[in-house]
Amino acid sequence: VALLLAMSVITALCQSMSASASSLPAAAQRFLAREGARGKCMLTEMSFEERQAHARCMNYLTRNSMGVEICGVLVTSTMATSLAVQASIAVPTIYQVLVRVLRDPSVELKEG
């Protein structure tokens, strides 16, 4: 689970659009607000073609799922947390059932 959470951090670095994030899309978006060589906002210093290229880049970054995938499934913090909760419930339950069955072979599992 810890490995999945670490992988989800990499996915967040590839996808987060939060203004304060250290992600690729957030950095590309902040680029426009930076000061250029002439002390003006980059947006005003860029040519029309450069602005269009930036818009295409932002479109690509926001529309594509980037990050760590396992068997085609994107590893996100929500997915990692969900799996951790499921495992914390399922593992003790399965353990208790196995302990009962192995201690007393006459115990029959009831279908319910």
Side-chain angles (χ1 to χ4, degrees):
V1 174
L3 182 60
L4 286 177
L5 286 172
M7 290 181 197
S8 73
V9 170
I10 295 170
T11 299
L13 288 172
C14 294
Q15 290 189 337
S16 179
M17 285 295 293
S18 174
S20 61
S22 299
S23 65
L24 293 172
Q29 189 65 38
R30 284 192 304 267
F31 173 77
L32 294 178
R34 290 182 20 189
E35 285 188 8
R38 295 181 219 139
K40 294 182 180 178
C41 177
M42 287 296 292
L43 183 60
T44 58
E45 289 190 1
M46 293 170 70
S47 69
F48 177 76
E49 291 81 16
E50 290 171 329
R51 287 193 303 271
Q52 291 298 315
H54 184 269
R56 285 191 302 274
C57 176
M58 288 304 302
N59 189 33
Y60 179 83
L61 290 174
T62 56
R63 291 184 183 263
N64 290 293
S65 296
M66 297 182 292
V68 179
E69 286 186 359
I70 297 178
C71 297
V73 178
L74 195 64
V75 179
T76 63
S77 59
T78 304
M79 186 264 267
T81 304
S82 175
L83 287 175
V85 168
Q86 290 174 11
S88 67
I89 294 169
V91 171
T93 304
I94 293 170
Y95 176 76
Q96 288 299 320
V97 169
L98 288 175
V99 166
R100 284 187 183 175
V101 169
L102 293 175
R103 282 192 185 158
D104 187 6
S106 66
V107 172
E108 293 181 23
L109 296 177
K110 297 179 183 178
E111 292 183 26

